[in-house]
């Protein structure tokens, strides 16, 4: 059985809660990523902001991404697993939370992200179908 370390995309980037969403979008474009963990003033993780969040919760809601901060969109503690978790645990957590990106922590610090694309490359087709069904059911 593989571990989350085997699945994840390493070198996760984060953004301060005080940074604007237009800057978050620029970082996502520069690094070819779709999500950024958000850090509070004390360095703690306060959530995750995704490209979809920026579009749906900011732009489509009529807000200005140059005046809206990442902290305003980040909601609650980010869903995460420890880097030593097995791949089945990652799939279970993502399915249960109905999320497409899972933050990977080592000693409480972000070290990677498991994405749908990571799962598509690693999972047998029946397990991937079960994951997709769980995440997208009822959307």
């Amino acid at each position: 059985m593989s571990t989350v370390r085997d699945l994840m995309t390493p070198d996760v980037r984060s953004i301060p809660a005080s940074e604007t969403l237009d800057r978050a979008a620029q970082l996502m474009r520069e690094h070819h990523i779709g999500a950024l963990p958000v850090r509070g003033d004390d360095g703690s993780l306060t959530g995750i902001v995704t490209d979809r969040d920026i579009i749906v919760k900011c732009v489509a809601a009529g807000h200005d991404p140059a005046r809206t901060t990442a902290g305003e969109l980040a909601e609650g503690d980010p869903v995460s697993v420890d880097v030593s978790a097995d791949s089945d645990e990652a799939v279970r957590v993502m399915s249960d939370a109905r999320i497409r990106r899972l933050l990977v922590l080592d000693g409480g610090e972000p070290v990677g992200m498991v994405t749908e694309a990571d799962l598509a490359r690693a999972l047998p087709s029946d397990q991937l179908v079960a994951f997709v069904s769980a995440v997208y059911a009822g959307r």
Side-chain angles (χ1 to χ4, degrees), residues 33-56:
I33 56 177
L36 293 165
V38 178
R39 291 190 179 269
D41 291 338
D42 62 356
S44 66
L45 294 171
T46 61
I48 293 179
V49 66
T50 68
D51 48 3
R52 187 173 193 277
D53 290 336
I54 294 169
I55 297 301
V56 173

Side-chain angles (χ1 to χ4, degrees), residues 60-131:
H63 303 291
D64 181 356
R67 301 182 83 183
T68 306
T69 66
E72 291 175 67
L73 283 193
E75 299 173 350
D77 293 330
V79 177
S80 64
V81 294
D82 188 79
V83 70
S84 64
D86 64 48
S87 58
D88 288 342
E89 173 73 2
V91 172
R92 185 192 65 71
V93 169
M94 291 173 77
S95 296
D96 289 352
R98 296 179 71 190
I99 57 174
R100 295 174 282 181
R101 296 173 182 97
L102 178 65
L103 188 58
V104 180
L105 304 176
D106 187 2
E109 285 299 310
V111 293
M113 190 86 67
V114 175
T115 67
E116 285 176 309
D118 296 328
L119 296 181
R121 284 189 290 274
L123 295 180
S125 60
D126 60 328
Q127 195 175 6
L128 182 61
V129 167
F131 165 75

Side-chain angles (χ1 to χ4, degrees), residues 20-48:
T20 59
L21 293 178
D22 62 339
R23 181 62 186 138
Q26 291 165 1
L27 286 170
M28 289 178 194
R29 183 188 65 222
E30 288 169 17
H31 297 287
H32 307 285
I33 56 177
L36 293 165
V38 178
R39 291 190 179 269
D41 291 338
D42 62 356
S44 66
L45 294 171
T46 61
I48 293 179

Side-chain angles (χ1 to χ4, degrees), residues 1-8 83 122:
M1 181 175 302
S2 61
T3 66
V4 172
R5 186 182 301 277
D6 301 323
L7 289 177
M8 73 180 193
V83 70

